[in-house]
């Protein structure tokens, strides 16, 4: 890290729901953070947080010991690497990219090789924990890439998360994250089915959830999203659109590896159904409304979709 800086310079790219909280936590952790987003308003709202606004990507990378990206999908990360103002054209001083977005493991390996040829190391470090984990700096971070690069990045990652695991070579972090998403999606589907059946049988769903949380059916999804599903509160949380993106990455990876995933395929169709009924910006708990419709119930919130 740079002499003169308390901890060093981080260039942060992507100030969305997650990135803005993570960048802010790096300032709190003592880093000098320059940040860029293609949407100027996303940078402007960070004034007063200690983050230094940048109007170009090159401005962020110039003095960066580490560049962190937190972007929607594979093409956005590829643009930051290969684009006209990107990392290959303007290598960061510290020659290290930590991509914390959820993107394709296969594309990650290709980008990592291209960067390596230019003397830049790349780690894939996707996260679990959502906006609350991002805000509280309690994210779980799964890292793929070289051990040396991991050890360099670890203090920066510790500014954003509490569970940090190096899980293998380039792409391994993304693979573990996709397995995480596969489990979350199918688990949520199982909860939807239990709630639909319990409701049809006239059981008190709040009591049923409490009972299930005390036994072997308990899960993070049941604890965190169960109440919102029962109450018909669809708005907040991890968006249906983002989960669909992750499930697409899971199925692309499975096809690449010739691994059949029938459970993931089925739940993906149900997420597509949710999006087709206008739920794309709602939280994952809105998957229950697919079951509302299938069982002839009016959707919750009184809004018939
Ligand atoms: P978001 O859409 O809210 O934010 C992404 C930001 O990237 C936007 O501000 C966008 O303007 C910016 N951007 C896009 N292309 C850019 C480019 N070329 N250069 C600079 N900025 C660019 O997304 P998010 O919810 O913050 O999620 C980011 C990533 O984290 C995704 O891959 C997502 O799957 C993953 N993730 C999200 C959550 C969640 O709960 N939201 C949880 C875990 C992981």
């Amino acid at each position: 890290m740079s002499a003169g800086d308390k901890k060093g310079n981080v260039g942060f790219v992507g100030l969305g729901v997650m990135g803005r909280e993570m960048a802010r936590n790096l300032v709190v952790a003592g880093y000098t953070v320059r940040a860029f987003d293609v949407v100027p308003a996303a940078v402007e709202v960070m004034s007063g947080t200690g983050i230094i606004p940048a109007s170009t990507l090159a401005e962020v990378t110039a003095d960066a010991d580490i560049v962190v990206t937190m972007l929607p999908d594979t093409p956005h990360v590829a643009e930051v690497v290969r684009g006209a103002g990107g990392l290959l054209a303007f290598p960061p001083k510290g020659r290290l990219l930590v991509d914390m977005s959820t993107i394709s493991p296969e594309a990650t390996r290709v980008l990592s090789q291209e960067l390596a040829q230019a003397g830049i190391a790349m780690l894939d470090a996707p996260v679990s924990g959502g906006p609350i984990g991002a805000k509280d700096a309690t994210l779980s971070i799964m890292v793929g890439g070289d051990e040396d690069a991991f050890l360099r990045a670890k203090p920066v990652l510790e500014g954003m998360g509490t569970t940090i695991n190096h899980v293998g070579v380039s792409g391994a972090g993304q693979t573990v994250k996709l397995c995480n998403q596969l489990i979350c999606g199918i688990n949520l589907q199982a909860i939807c089915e239990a709630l639909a059946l319990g409701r049809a049988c006239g059981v008190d769903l709040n009591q049923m959830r409490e009972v299930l949380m005390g036994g072997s059916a308990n899960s993070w999804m049941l604890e965190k999203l169960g109440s919102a599903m029962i109450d018909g509160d669809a708005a907040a949380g991890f968006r249906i659109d983002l989960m669909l993106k992750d499930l697409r990455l899971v199925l692309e990876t499975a096809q690449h590896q010739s691994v059949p995933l029938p459970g993931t395929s089925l739940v993906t169709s149900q997420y597509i159904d949710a999006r087709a009924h206008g739920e794309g910006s709602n939280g994952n708990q809105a998957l229950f409304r697919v079951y509302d419709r299938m069982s002839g119930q009016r959707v919750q919130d009184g809004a018939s979709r």
Side-chain angles (χ1 to χ4, degrees), residues 224-292:
K224 307 282 193 234
L225 300 188
S227 288
M229 291 162 86
I230 294 166
D231 296 344
D233 172 10
F238 185 64
R239 303 190 295 279
I240 291 273
D241 277 343
L242 276 180
M243 186 56 139
L244 255 176
K245 182 263 297 185
D246 292 350
L247 291 171
R248 169 180 56 76
L249 292 171
V250 172
L251 291 174
E252 282 173 4
T253 305
Q255 189 162 7
H256 193 74
Q257 300 293 337
S258 293
V259 177
L261 298 179
T264 307
S265 300
L266 176 56
V267 80
T268 301
S269 295
Q270 293 176 317
Y271 273 91
I272 291 171
D273 180 307
R275 184 176 61 186
H277 285 85
E279 310 278 13
S281 305
N282 282 334
N284 268 231
Q285 64 275 17
L287 194 70
F288 191 40
R289 306 216 227 196
V290 173
Y291 283 80
D292 284 344

Side-chain angles (χ1 to χ4, degrees), residues 81-130:
V81 171
R82 299 178 182 136
L87 267 61
L88 287 171
F90 297 92
K93 195 177 69 184
R95 299 202 164 257
L96 177 56
L97 166 64
V98 181
D99 176 37
M100 303 188 75
S101 332
T102 304
I103 69 165
S104 154
E106 184 58 27
T108 293
R109 280 188 283 276
V110 173
L111 288 171
S112 157
Q113 283 162 10
E114 289 175 24
L115 285 162
Q117 280 168 10
I120 304 167
M122 175 178 178
L123 296 171
D124 43 304
V127 308
S128 177

Side-chain angles (χ1 to χ4, degrees), residues 44-257:
E44 283 156 23
V45 294
M46 302 309 287
S47 73
T49 61
I51 289 169
I52 303 165
S55 49
T56 64
L57 182 58
E59 245 177 80
V60 154
T61 57
D63 282 331
D65 299 298
I66 291 181
V67 171
V68 175
T69 43
M70 193 56 174
L71 300 167
D73 200 350
T74 311
H76 308 91
V77 178
E79 172 68 19
V80 165
V81 171
R82 299 178 182 136
L87 267 61
L88 287 171
F90 297 92
K93 195 177 69 184
R95 299 202 164 257
L96 177 56
L97 166 64
V98 181
D99 176 37
M100 303 188 75
S101 332
T102 304
I103 69 165
S104 154
E106 184 58 27
T108 293
R109 280 188 283 276
V110 173
L111 288 171
S112 157
Q113 283 162 10
E114 289 175 24
L115 285 162
Q117 280 168 10
I120 304 167
M122 175 178 178
L123 296 171
D124 43 304
V127 308
S128 177
I132 293 171
K135 187 162 193 265
D136 297 345
T138 56
L139 291 168
S140 171
I141 306 174
M142 37 223 116
V143 188
D146 288 348
E147 176 79 13
D148 285 355
F150 172 67
L151 292 175
R152 275 181 64 204
K154 198 160 177 254
V156 174
L157 299 177
E158 284 167 349
M160 297 178 276
T162 42
T163 308
I164 296 154
N165 288 296
H166 186 208
V167 296
V169 297
S170 176
Q174 295 294 355
T175 301
V176 173
K177 168 69 184 181
L178 294 185
C179 291
N180 181 82
Q181 296 307 80
L182 173 169
I183 293 169
C184 289
I186 295 176
N187 183 235
L188 198 64
Q189 180 201 40
I191 295 166
C192 288
E193 299 211 347
L195 292 178
L197 182 61
R199 176 174 61 188
C201 295
V203 166
D204 179 330
L205 295 185
N206 286 308
Q207 188 186 24
M208 181 172 99
R209 172 175 165 269
E210 290 293 331
V211 171
L212 295 179
M213 286 191 329
S216 57
N218 193 25
S219 68
W220 190 98
M221 287 286 168
L222 185 61
E223 282 183 20
K224 307 282 193 234
L225 300 188
S227 288
M229 291 162 86
I230 294 166
D231 296 344
D233 172 10
F238 185 64
R239 303 190 295 279
I240 291 273
D241 277 343
L242 276 180
M243 186 56 139
L244 255 176
K245 182 263 297 185
D246 292 350
L247 291 171
R248 169 180 56 76
L249 292 171
V250 172
L251 291 174
E252 282 173 4
T253 305
Q255 189 162 7
H256 193 74
Q257 300 293 337

